[in-house]
Amino acid sequence: MSAGRACEGAGWVSWWGFSPALDLLSAGDVRREGETNVLLVGCGEPRHILKTIAGLRNEDSLHVWVIENSMEVMARQLLLLYLALMPQESIGLNEKTEVYLEVFGNSEIRSQTEEILRRAASQLSLCVTETMETATHPCLNTTLLKFKERDELERIFKLWIKPQFSSSSSERGPTLMSKAWDNRVRQHLGTRYDSKKGCFDWDLTMKLLDKGCGVINKRQYVQWRERGLAFEMREGVYQITNPSLLSLRVFNQRGSKVAVRGYWGDIVSSPYLSFGIETDDKSLLKTQNGQYIKTAQDISFANVQALFQSLSSRRGCPSTSEPDAEGEEPLSQTDQKSITINDLMHLNGISVTFLPLDSLHKLPEKQKYSHFFNTIYFSTSCVHQLGPNMRQIAAPDAVLVIELAKYILDLNKEQEAGFAKTVLRIAQEAGFELWQEKTDDIHAVFKALNQK
């Protein structure tokens, strides 16, 4: 029983990954230490960056280089990093975690979150238009992008700054997420739309639970499938469009190309995969009468909060702000206005640089990147771009990590196995050999072959 056409449920834009957050420096036989360069291709969001930072020692340094599929995904990467770097002196730890997860996985957000998002977009717009050779913030480095790409980022951020009508508004205006989401669900399910809850239940019970995702709560998963609300942690009203999840998709209509703004991301696998199905805190995985006590939402919150605490430990001095209470007040407008790019946390030894969209196959031509990257990561959507020239930019002892298709639910087991075989062939042709003891059914790990 398949609820839709092949792979359409995964969407055309990778707003989140199809695998849990991974400490990329632990992918090899020994954990890499010292100064490390990591290349991420098509990750969609910064889960691996945050997880890798959390595993660093104080004396380690990490430079992450990011290549994405679209400027809209890159803009969202910058937004999520901005939110992660907001100092606890300006926003409490609980509120910061909630805001991050809302923006990350919710089609609609609270008014307080929209205000924070708009102010972040305003700061990022100023940041990307700076013409200085050095980045305003080392973790938001867009100085290597082309001028037209920076202009495109500015255009996207300005779209986010404009007020968005709520789902209850009857006025014509910006794209309403509630309508865009429902259009995606209708398109995916087709004739099964009228029995959609049965389709949702099938995907959860027969697919996600079968893949070991029992912590995903049925009520929360069905709500996400219906409305796009993955994280509803407060009694607030979630009805304002999350503009960071909207993008353009070009259609052919009667021989002409038409760009339609809507939601074109995943509507099947869920944002719970990134932070909500694995945890080092085994108490969160306890069961009672065969049922998990905690949900994927609970685990996501705990994991993201722990990652944010680790970010604070990379600062020059520990945060003076105590973790806030559950009932904390939302940020005042004065507090929000005070957060500029320069006020964001500067993490000792950490930098994140965004590269042009078409740069992957140009890196081997530049001497700077010759045998440069210690770890290279490819998402499922970008593995086809892995070629023999990647060996030129890989360090002699480089580790290659490729995301597999386990959590792309529209694929059957034969297709999933076929994708894994294709990954193996592509990697071997590119000059890498499979690291059997480090490979599982979520990621395939390879090591660079010794060049003679």
Side-chain angles (χ1 to χ4, degrees):
M1 178 178 178
S2 176
R5 306 174 191 93
C7 288
E8 190 184 76
W12 295 264
V13 184
S14 299
W15 294 129
W16 43 76
F18 292 99
S19 58
L22 181 68
D23 180 353
L24 293 169
L25 302 190
S26 295
D29 53 350
V30 294
R31 197 177 196 290
R32 194 175 297 278
E33 297 177 345
E35 184 177 341
T36 309
N37 287 289
V38 174
L39 176 64
L40 302 180
V41 184
C43 281
E45 34 93 0
R47 68 193 187 283
H48 299 319
I49 299 175
L50 298 176
K51 183 74 171 179
T52 303
I53 292 173
L56 294 175
R57 304 175 306 165
N58 290 335
E59 57 267 34
D60 293 336
S61 62
L62 174 70
H63 195 160
V64 181
W65 307 76
V66 178
I67 299 175
E68 284 300 346
N69 278 325
S70 73
M71 297 311 298
E72 290 152 323
V73 174
M74 187 181 295
R76 195 168 128 91
Q77 274 259 36
L78 286 163
L79 170 65
L80 291 171
L81 282 172
Y82 180 103
L83 296 177
L85 293 168
M86 290 175 70
Q88 284 177 224
E89 294 84 358
S90 301
I91 180 171
L93 187 58
N94 279 6
E95 175 74 2
K96 177 178 170 178
T97 305
E98 290 170 353
V99 167
Y100 184 93
L101 288 174
E102 266 187 62
V103 174
F104 173 70
N106 282 11
S107 63
E108 295 179 312
I109 54 180
R110 297 172 297 152
S111 59
Q112 301 97 317
T113 302
E114 183 211 21
E115 185 68 24
I116 294 172
L117 188 155
R118 288 173 58 194
R119 294 189 184 281
S122 179
Q123 286 295 312
L124 288 167
S125 179
L126 294 173
C127 177
V128 299
T129 53
E130 288 283 353
T131 56
M132 297 183 296
E133 292 185 6
T134 56
T136 307
H137 191 287
C139 289
L140 304 169
N141 188 348
T142 57
T143 59
L144 297 185
L145 297 180
K146 300 173 183 177
F147 286 112
K148 66 177 182 180
E149 290 176 325
R150 290 198 228 172
D151 290 342
E152 178 64 8
L153 284 175
E154 182 187 20
R155 183 193 69 81
I156 294 167
F157 291 136
K158 286 184 175 179
L159 274 177
W160 297 356
I161 294 168
K162 291 179 182 179
Q164 302 288 315
F165 295 121
S166 73
S167 58
S168 61
S169 174
S170 60
E171 298 180 62
R172 292 182 178 272
T175 305
L176 293 180
M177 180 60 85
S178 56
K179 183 177 180 181
W181 186 274
D182 188 61
N183 286 342
R184 273 283 285 129
V185 175
R186 285 179 180 273
Q187 178 191 44
H188 178 62
L189 295 182
T191 57
R192 296 184 182 276
Y193 181 82
D194 290 337
S195 56
K196 58 185 178 181
K197 288 195 175 181
C199 295
F200 301 160
D201 184 58
W202 175 272
D203 285 338
L204 177 64
T205 306
M206 303 305 293
K207 296 180 180 180
L208 279 171
L209 267 60
D210 186 55
K211 295 176 184 292
C213 299
V215 293
I216 298 180
N217 176 274
K218 179 180 177 179
R219 182 189 62 79
Q220 291 173 351
Y221 178 75
V222 168
Q223 176 175 264
W224 175 74
R225 290 289 300 266
E226 280 193 306
R227 293 186 54 199
L229 293 184
F231 304 103
E232 197 170 9
M233 294 158 288
R234 288 186 176 237
E235 294 298 322
V237 180
Y238 296 78
Q239 63 178 23
I240 299 174
T241 292
N242 178 356
S244 76
L245 287 177
L246 292 173
S247 62
L248 292 174
R249 185 180 171 212
V250 178
F251 291 85
N252 284 316
Q253 290 186 359
R254 298 175 183 175
S256 299
K257 291 185 176 181
V258 179
V260 179
R261 186 169 171 81
Y263 178 81
W264 306 114
D266 166 45
I267 55 166
V268 175
S269 296
S270 87
Y272 297 124
L273 298 175
S274 292
F275 301 106
I277 61 172
E278 292 184 357
T279 177
D280 295 328
D281 183 357
K282 300 309 176 188
S283 68
L284 296 172
L285 299 175
K286 288 183 178 179
T287 59
Q288 190 172 48
N289 298 325
Q291 299 292 319
Y292 284 93
I293 297 173
K294 299 294 184 180
T295 67
Q297 174 178 290
D298 299 324
I299 293 172
S300 296
F301 185 92
N303 282 339
V304 171
Q305 188 174 71
L307 293 174
F308 287 167
Q309 286 175 318
S310 72
L311 293 186
S312 294
S313 70
R314 297 289 304 187
R315 301 173 73 182
C317 58
S319 171
T320 57
S321 177
E322 292 294 323
D324 48 357
E326 282 292 325
E328 67 181 10
E329 292 297 317
L331 290 178
S332 69
Q333 290 192 4
T334 304
D335 290 333
Q336 293 167 28
K337 286 179 181 177
S338 68
I339 304 175
T340 67
I341 293 290
N342 288 328
D343 294 324
L344 298 178
M345 291 189 292
H346 283 248
L347 310 180
N348 294 331
I350 307 295
S351 58
V352 181
T353 299
F354 290 82
L355 297 172
L357 300 184
D358 63 352
S359 63
L360 183 61
H361 298 294
K362 296 179 180 180
L363 296 181
E365 301 169 4
K366 299 182 179 181
Q367 183 61 35
K368 174 183 177 179
Y369 302 108
S370 179
H371 306 300
F372 182 73
F373 295 106
N374 307 105
T375 302
I376 301 174
Y377 182 96
F378 277 82
S379 69
T380 54
S381 61
C382 292
V383 68
H384 63 281
Q385 298 183 52
L386 175 62
N389 56 354
M390 290 299 101
R391 193 63 187 83
Q392 178 63 29
I393 63 174
D397 59 346
V399 175
L400 170 67
V401 183
I402 300 178
E403 182 182 56
L404 297 178
K406 177 177 180 176
Y407 295 116
I408 298 181
L409 302 191
D410 285 341
L411 298 182
N412 58 37
K413 290 184 178 180
E414 290 73 23
Q415 291 169 321
E416 183 186 328
F419 183 83
K421 288 181 180 178
T422 300
V423 164
L424 177 60
R425 175 181 56 78
I426 291 174
Q428 288 176 336
E429 291 174 355
F432 296 86
E433 62 178 340
L434 186 65
W435 211 323
Q436 295 284 0
E437 63 271 21
K438 300 296 291 187
T439 293
D440 54 27
D441 56 356
I442 301 175
H443 292 102
V445 182
F446 300 83
K447 50 187 173 182
L449 287 170
N450 292 326
Q451 292 182 322
K452 297 180 181 179

